[in-house]
Amino acid sequence: MDLNRPASPLQSQNKARNRKALAATAIAAALLLSACGGGAAPQGAEQAAAADPASGANASGAVNICGVKDASGIYKGTAEAFTKANGKVTAKYTEIGATTDEARTQIVQRLEGKSTECDLFVTDVIWTSEFASQGWLLDQTKLVEANKDRLIPSTVETTKYQDKYWGSPFFTNAGLIYYQKDKVAKPESWQQLYAEAAKAPGNGYVYQGKQYEGLTVNFLEMLYSAGGEVLNDQGDVTIDSKETRDVLNFMSEGLKNGSADRAVLTYNEDPARLAYESGDFGYQRNWPHVYRLLNATPLASSFAVAPLPAWEGGKASGVLGGWNLAISAHSTNQAGAVAFIDFATTPDWQKHVAMDYSQAPVNEAAYSDPAVLQKMPFATELLASVKGAKPRPISPVYPQISQAIYKNVYAVLSGTATTEEAVQKMAEEITAAKASF
């Protein structure tokens, strides 16, 4: 919202009425600013209705879950399994976008238009604050608290905004390091990884360095492990820090000394994976789904998986990905939506999330289940990454914050800006983004 737009000229020539109108405008603007600032929850979030955890037990009818293209079949598979197990509620999954961005656009259109088509939305973890702040979702605080004992704490944090929970974690994601056992050592710190990568040709490190969301994640993984942050607990911008400078200098030096190939500046997930599959690199940072793909290549017997390493002197910290289940404020079957969430987050179904769909469960017990370990041998390493990971900055203007990060990190890595210039611009742009809401 634009708080700096001037008021429309008043037509009345009566000065007293003019002053009165201007005073009223000033008061309204002050109230609007208070509602949109970091201290108070926006009116939409304050007035949101809450999901009733007990309602799922007596649910009936039909539930429609909407979201991105179901490439792995997990959404349709869960809907079918729920329908079979429940008996009183039927669920179906409706694809409303071929890509994440398209799905978000379609979801926003439905929520803004108060559409009753979708009872539940599958939402990217980075959408929580934006959707909750607009009053588009049911408050799931009581529901999440009722199910909390079955959920990994870090995954629950991805559903939080203004001290309430606005979704239930469905499956999660955290970065991993894939490494060639015959070339390089298991990484214990980012400094060790980069040193090993620079030792010899063929040892190098590939990651997602293109100018997009993936670069934000790669940068934050190091920043968090170095003890840095983008926003503090009060929502203040704290990215202008020694830790940010240290990480930017480290990443930049890694490209100069050959630890990382400069081609990473063009890589998102798939190109990074394909480069690693060539056998010309020692390390790769990527997501868990890559494990299955690598096992179908000549590298199948030569690679191992490790959690993200720590910053030297710090501790390992990843950045959580994944998808949540959010109940539309306009759902016509909120009880059915609660029943579906109850089913999707059960320890039993969460094992299927791993075994049948190669996704990371939000239930910790699933990672030690023998059947899961047979299908996902790196489950122990994945759990360590998930438990140590943090959400991305929680803000209704997260897309603008992310753009400020990846644009300026890329400028340093590509050599078009100094670290000092980039840090100052990041801080300025993030501050401006926050002030725009």
Side-chain angles (χ1 to χ4, degrees):
M1 57 186 70
D2 183 1
L3 300 178
N4 297 312
R5 186 173 57 199
S8 300
L10 297 174
Q11 301 302 312
S12 173
Q13 299 302 308
N14 186 300
K15 292 183 179 180
R17 288 175 61 194
N18 188 40
R19 285 194 299 271
K20 184 177 179 181
L22 288 172
T25 300
I27 292 169
L31 290 171
L32 185 60
L33 182 60
S34 173
C36 294
Q43 200 171 37
E46 283 184 339
Q47 295 181 345
D52 178 7
S55 65
N58 299 312
S60 61
V63 170
N64 190 23
I65 305 104
C66 300
V68 73
K69 183 178 180 180
D70 191 14
S72 69
I74 187 171
Y75 306 125
K76 292 178 181 176
T78 304
E80 289 169 1
F82 166 76
T83 298
K84 184 176 180 180
N86 185 276
K88 296 185 295 181
V89 184
T90 59
K92 71 172 183 175
Y93 184 73
T94 301
E95 296 179 347
I96 56 173
T99 67
T100 299
D101 286 345
E102 288 177 11
R104 180 190 167 279
T105 298
Q106 292 295 321
I107 290 172
V108 168
Q109 287 178 356
R110 284 162 173 78
L111 290 169
E112 285 184 329
K114 300 183 179 181
S115 169
T116 59
E117 174 191 1
C118 307
D119 299 289
L120 279 160
F121 290 104
V122 178
T123 58
D124 192 312
V125 294
I126 63 176
W127 300 342
T128 299
S129 298
E130 177 190 4
F131 290 4
S133 69
Q134 300 300 324
W136 290 338
L137 308 177
L138 282 196
D139 173 3
Q140 287 191 41
T141 303
K142 292 181 180 178
L143 180 59
V144 170
E145 288 175 346
N147 292 332
K148 230 174 183 180
D149 60 345
R150 64 171 69 160
L151 302 169
I152 297 170
S154 60
T155 68
V156 174
E157 289 303 300
T158 67
T159 73
K160 195 172 187 179
Y161 175 68
Q162 296 286 6
D163 297 322
K164 293 181 179 180
Y165 300 113
W166 301 90
S168 291
F170 181 30
F171 62 89
T172 187
N173 221 346
L176 295 167
I177 298 295
Y178 297 83
Y179 65 100
Q180 292 294 98
K181 296 179 290 185
D182 58 339
K183 289 183 179 182
V184 294
K186 178 182 177 180
E188 301 297 335
S189 71
W190 285 111
Q191 285 77 4
Q192 178 209 343
L193 185 155
Y194 269 62
E196 287 268 331
K199 276 183 180 177
N203 281 18
Y205 174 51
V206 290
Y207 61 92
Q208 295 75 49
K210 188 177 178 179
Q211 197 171 186
Y212 82 118
E213 178 68 19
L215 180 54
T216 295
V217 171
N218 278 251
F219 168 74
L220 290 179
E221 286 168 345
M222 284 196 191
L223 181 67
Y224 287 166
S225 66
E229 55 188 6
V230 179
L231 306 175
N232 64 16
D233 292 341
Q234 289 72 47
D236 302 320
V237 180
T238 53
I239 200 166
D240 187 345
S241 67
K242 177 183 182 298
E243 291 82 6
T244 299
R245 290 170 174 80
D246 288 346
V247 170
L248 284 174
N249 287 333
F250 180 77
M251 294 178 73
S252 178
E253 183 59 29
L255 289 170
K256 293 173 184 175
N257 66 22
S259 295
D261 192 278
R262 287 198 66 81
V264 301
L265 296 178
T266 67
Y267 290 168
N268 56 19
E269 284 80 2
D270 262 4
R273 172 180 65 83
L274 293 170
Y276 184 75
E277 286 179 7
S278 71
D280 294 335
F281 298 94
Y283 294 103
Q284 172 194 199
R285 182 265 172 222
N286 222 314
W287 299 102
H289 76 277
V290 167
Y291 179 86
R292 178 176 55 84
L293 300 173
L294 277 177
N295 269 318
T297 74
L299 299 184
S301 61
S302 63
F303 78 90
V305 182
L308 294 175
W311 189 259
E312 210 165 68
K315 63 178 183 179
S317 182
V319 173
L320 282 177
W323 294 83
N324 299 327
L325 296 169
I327 304 175
S328 169
H330 315 299
S331 166
T332 56
N333 192 355
Q334 295 177 3
V338 169
F340 182 84
I341 288 171
D342 283 338
F343 173 85
T345 57
T346 58
D348 183 64
W349 184 251
Q350 283 293 305
K351 289 190 287 186
H352 288 279
V353 165
M355 293 186 299
D356 300 344
Y357 304 105
S358 299
Q359 300 292 357
V362 295
N363 172 258
E364 183 169 346
Y367 290 84
S368 57
D369 186 272
V372 171
L373 285 166
Q374 187 175 4
K375 291 285 188 76
M376 192 182 275
F378 63 97
T380 301
E381 289 78 11
L382 177 56
L383 178 61
S385 282
V386 169
K387 291 180 74 174
K390 295 171 58 176
R392 278 161 271 189
I394 297 172
S395 171
V397 293
Y398 174 76
Q400 295 96 305
I401 291 174
S402 179
Q403 184 179 52
I405 293 171
Y406 67 66
K407 183 176 68 175
N408 287 293
V409 171
Y410 185 87
V412 173
L413 300 186
S414 62
T416 60
T418 67
T419 291
E420 193 59 37
E421 290 169 341
V423 171
Q424 291 181 13
K425 283 195 71 177
M426 260 195 281
E428 290 169 1
E429 291 170 7
I430 292 171
T431 300
K434 281 179 58 61
S436 72
F437 181 76

